[in-house]
Amino acid sequence: MKKLLNDPADAVVESVEGFVAAHSDIVEAHYDPIYVSRVGGAVEGKVGLVSGGGSGHEPLHAGFVGQGMLDAAVPGAVFASPTPDQIAPALVAANGGAGVLAIVKNYTGDVLNFETAVELAEAEDVEVATVITNDDVAVEDSLYTAGRRGVAGTVCVEKIAGAAADRGDDLAGVAAVATRVNANVRSMGVALTACTVPASGKPSFDLPDDEVEIGIGIHGEPGRHRIKLEPADAITQRLLDPVAEDLHLASGENVLLFVNGMGGTPSSELYVVYRQARKLLEARGVVVARSLVGNYVTSLEMQGASVTVLRLDDELTGLWDAPVHTAALRW
Amino acid sequence: MKKLLNDPADAVVESVEGFVAAHSDIVEAHYDPIYVSRVGGAVEGKVGLVSGGGSGHEPLHAGFVGQGMLDAAVPGAVFASPTPDQIAPALVAANGGAGVLAIVKNYTGDVLNFETAVELAEAEDVEVATVITNDDVAVEDSLYTAGRRGVAGTVCVEKIAGAAADRGDDLAGVAAVATRVNANVRSMGVALTACTVPASGKPSFDLPDDEVEIGIGIHGEPGRHRIKLEPADAITQRLLDPVAEDLHLASGENVLLFVNGMGGTPSSELYVVYRQARKLLEARGVVVARSLVGNYVTSLEMQGASVTVLRLDDELTGLWDAPVHTAALRW
């Protein structure tokens, strides 16, 4: 295993230390237990947003803490859920008196630990609503999941719900927007290589030199099938078609097209995927009204990409366009 | 070779097509010859900025076209200089009547081809000044270079010169600012793995599983030496110390600390490197006043990172902070 790390046991803490030092105008860290929150603390009267999950998917979630998005993020160990004892103080810290929305990717450990944390926070009189993201169309049930997995679409939920909170929606309203985004976003990914969890030191799965895994999970969970390597346009179609069909996209609809890198893929390749995904959507009569391309929900150094499509309406488009100022997303 | 590409011969064009489609509010492409320019063309009365070089270093340079940075960028084939016939029209297109600054990384092919292109542009009555970046302290002369190589510090030159042009400096003034940035910025990198140029299909060099290359070039050119893999803190010190010493950094000085990913390294590792580089600077009494961490000057999917330090004064800090709106850098 070749990584720019010290003791793997310290990787998450040291990375968070570097992250908050580099972005001290936006975020601050708490170390016992560990979570990241907005500088200056909760915004009075605004619904707070908290997300979290296993580390290894950076910039998700700490990279999305800041104005217009999350108020706190809770990193677990690599590919492992944060504990309720970690999550609960983040929920409390994010409460500006208007309650907190927890955004949870649909993995069994995350869902359970957030549930317990919500009970702990509620015992401290913090009102919490939870929205579970499950945008991955590749498989029903998976290694760590009952039902569909939450993957890159989570970024869309966090961005748009964050904008809804910023405009003053109440907790039920922000939760409703988040639920609506999750209902209208779908993703599917491909892996060209496995990644290596630092604590294990070995690739998380074996993939022959001439094969790719279609429908890969962000922890290297199995997808739909393995195929021989194909040109990017063919692989992209294997990702885009199931997404478009699951969304029942109709001609004339507007969408956000989001091509996400898994961590080890050059951005030049992501744009090749984007180019073909956009062509395929346009061939369906779908209008790509907004775009996002880059490494936003990664699997350490995995090579691969995912394609996410979010059906837009005027309200969601406006919330997407609203100002955001985080380490990883800003406009 | 496993890449998300179609025919390697089409990789640059297809990637540019995707890039400009995704960022059509910022950039547009020209295909015969190929270059990328700001939507809306040259800004009347503003000094234009043009850079270019081999592809494979994305987001450099096209990702830095936009308000506050470059007016045009010229992508060569992967790791190969763009041709004079490509560069000249970009220089002409970037001219808003106040002349154009060409920012060229110090590689023999780039320097020669920009020189010829400048002559072609001057024949069309475009005044051009050229600044050559050579921030890499690792080696004097290299596989493609006489003198030091231009690497990640080029981003600092492009950002700050772009801000100087935006505030209305004339061509000599913008060139002087760019020259001053280049004189005060130094970098050094490390490779954990090689990368594979699509057209060749093979890794650009061999690096044993337990070794890293200290002082790597962004095309995989040899660095200072190979060592056994060490903890990140030790590797970071091997990068930061030569940079700090070459800059003759003194206690009390302000710097920008920029940790750049080579393309295949998770951002979590970049922040571990940043953490240690910052500690080492602080131990020297140096103040890290600004920071940048991410994949900005890459080598395809190479795993590794570089450390760049820019000595700041009030003027350079103000220009760094000035608004920028490009695909890859915005605030």
Side-chain angles (χ1 to χ4, degrees):
Chain A
M1 176 182 75
K2 263 193 207 175
K3 289 179 184 287
L4 288 168
L5 295 176
N6 298 300
D7 184 338
D10 300 328
V12 171
V13 169
E14 290 183 353
S15 181
V16 167
E17 286 176 353
F19 176 77
V20 298
H23 306 288
S24 58
D25 55 327
I26 302 176
V27 287
E28 58 191 17
H30 312 258
Y31 291 102
D32 188 23
I34 190 168
Y35 66 95
V36 171
S37 63
R38 277 175 76 160
V39 162
V43 179
E44 190 69 28
K46 184 186 83 70
V47 171
L49 265 72
V50 176
S51 192
S55 291
H57 307 301
E58 290 73 23
L60 189 83
H61 296 275
F64 303 128
V65 172
Q67 189 219 324
M69 226 162 153
L70 301 179
D71 294 274
V74 193
V78 174
F79 293 178
S81 176
T83 62
D85 285 353
Q86 252 182 290
I87 302 165
L91 294 171
V92 173
N95 183 34
V100 176
L101 177 68
I103 299 172
V104 185
K105 300 190 303 300
N106 188 35
Y107 299 97
T108 305
D110 288 345
V111 171
L112 286 174
N113 287 355
F114 265 88
E115 275 176 7
T116 305
V118 168
E119 289 170 15
L120 295 171
E122 285 172 344
E124 297 192 40
D125 290 327
V126 178
E127 190 183 3
V128 185
T130 300
V131 170
I132 294 174
T133 65
N134 62 347
D135 53 306
D136 189 343
V137 302
V139 291
E140 280 292 327
D141 302 340
S142 186
L143 207 51
Y144 311 111
T145 327
R148 292 195 315 214
R149 302 174 296 216
V151 291
T154 307
V155 176
C156 302
V157 175
E158 294 180 359
K159 167 66 186 84
I160 291 175
D166 257 17
R167 75 174 175 190
D169 287 15
D170 64 11
L171 181 55
V174 176
V177 165
T179 300
R180 195 152 70 83
V181 174
N182 184 62
N184 285 284
V185 69
R186 300 286 190 280
S187 303
M188 191 154 148
V190 61
L192 277 63
T193 64
C195 59
T196 297
V197 174
S200 95
K202 289 177 188 168
S204 53
F205 57 95
D206 291 315
L207 194 56
D209 276 350
D210 60 345
E211 291 186 12
V212 303
E213 173 106 19
I214 301 287
I216 190 75
I218 58 172
H219 311 91
E221 310 97 300
R224 289 191 175 184
H225 47 255
R226 291 181 176 188
I227 59 168
K228 297 287 179 191
L229 179 65
E230 293 178 346
D233 283 358
I235 291 176
T236 301
Q237 182 152 16
R238 289 180 186 271
L239 305 182
L240 190 278
D241 281 353
V243 163
E245 279 149 31
D246 204 277
L247 274 175
H248 303 291
L249 281 181
S251 181
E253 289 196 295
N254 278 13
V255 299
L256 164 73
L257 171 58
F258 169 23
V259 173
N260 174 60
M262 294 297 197
T265 298
S267 74
S268 50
E269 296 179 30
L270 300 181
Y271 284 110
V272 171
V273 171
Y274 172 88
R275 168 185 174 274
Q276 169 72 348
R278 184 176 178 126
K279 279 190 182 186
L280 293 169
L281 285 166
E282 289 173 348
R284 290 172 180 264
V286 173
V287 178
V288 177
R290 294 293 182 275
S291 300
L292 185 68
V293 182
N295 291 323
Y296 293 100
V297 180
T298 62
S299 301
L300 296 168
E301 76 285 3
M302 181 187 284
Q303 289 185 36
S306 59
V307 173
T308 295
V309 176
L310 167 64
R311 175 187 282 113
L312 290 172
D313 56 24
D314 287 347
E315 185 192 20
L316 297 186
T317 305
L319 291 168
W320 178 260
D321 288 345
V324 60
H325 187 78
T326 68
L329 204 67
R330 58 178 76 179
W331 52 72
Chain B
M1 177 181 75
K2 263 193 207 175
K3 291 180 183 287
L4 288 168
L5 295 177
N6 299 301
D7 185 337
D10 300 328
V12 170
V13 169
E14 290 183 353
S15 182
V16 167
E17 286 176 353
F19 176 76
V20 298
H23 305 289
S24 58
D25 53 329
I26 302 177
V27 287
E28 58 191 18
H30 312 259
Y31 291 102
D32 188 22
I34 190 168
Y35 66 95
V36 172
S37 62
R38 277 175 77 162
V39 162
V43 180
E44 189 69 26
K46 186 185 83 71
V47 170
L49 265 71
V50 175
S51 193
S55 291
H57 307 300
E58 290 74 21
L60 189 83
H61 296 274
F64 303 129
V65 172
Q67 191 220 324
M69 226 162 154
L70 302 179
D71 294 273
V74 193
V78 175
F79 292 179
S81 175
T83 61
D85 285 353
Q86 253 183 289
I87 301 165
L91 293 172
V92 173
N95 182 34
V100 176
L101 177 69
I103 299 171
V104 185
K105 301 192 300 302
N106 188 34
Y107 299 96
T108 305
D110 289 344
V111 172
L112 287 174
N113 287 354
F114 265 90
E115 276 175 8
T116 305
V118 168
E119 289 169 16
L120 295 171
E122 285 173 344
E124 297 193 41
D125 288 328
V126 178
E127 190 184 3
V128 185
T130 300
V131 170
I132 293 174
T133 65
N134 61 347
D135 54 306
D136 189 342
V137 302
V139 292
E140 280 293 327
D141 302 338
S142 186
L143 207 51
Y144 311 111
T145 328
R148 291 193 319 212
R149 302 173 296 216
V151 291
T154 308
V155 177
C156 303
V157 175
E158 294 179 358
K159 167 66 186 83
I160 291 176
D166 258 18
R167 75 176 173 190
D169 288 14
D170 64 12
L171 180 57
V174 175
V177 165
T179 300
R180 196 152 69 82
V181 174
N182 184 62
N184 285 284
V185 68
R186 300 287 189 280
S187 303
M188 188 154 150
V190 62
L192 278 63
T193 64
C195 60
T196 298
V197 174
S200 96
K202 289 178 186 167
S204 52
F205 57 96
D206 288 317
L207 193 57
D209 276 350
D210 60 346
E211 292 185 12
V212 303
E213 173 109 18
I214 301 289
I216 190 76
I218 58 172
H219 312 91
E221 310 97 302
R224 290 191 176 184
H225 46 252
R226 290 181 176 188
I227 59 168
K228 296 287 178 192
L229 180 65
E230 294 178 344
D233 283 357
I235 290 175
T236 302
Q237 183 152 15
R238 290 180 185 270
L239 305 181
L240 190 279
D241 281 352
V243 164
E245 280 149 31
D246 204 276
L247 274 175
H248 304 290
L249 281 181
S251 181
E253 289 195 293
N254 279 12
V255 300
L256 163 74
L257 172 57
F258 168 22
V259 173
N260 175 60
M262 294 296 196
T265 298
S267 75
S268 51
E269 296 178 31
L270 300 181
Y271 284 110
V272 171
V273 171
Y274 172 89
R275 168 186 175 273
Q276 169 72 349
R278 183 176 177 124
K279 279 190 181 185
L280 294 169
L281 285 167
E282 289 172 348
R284 290 170 179 264
V286 173
V287 179
V288 177
R290 295 292 183 276
S291 301
L292 186 68
V293 182
N295 292 322
Y296 293 100
V297 180
T298 61
S299 302
L300 296 168
E301 76 285 4
M302 181 187 283
Q303 289 184 36
S306 59
V307 172
T308 295
V309 176
L310 168 64
R311 177 188 281 114
L312 290 172
D313 56 23
D314 287 348
E315 186 193 19
L316 297 186
T317 306
L319 291 168
W320 178 259
D321 289 346
V324 60
H325 187 78
T326 68
L329 203 67
R330 59 178 78 178
W331 52 71

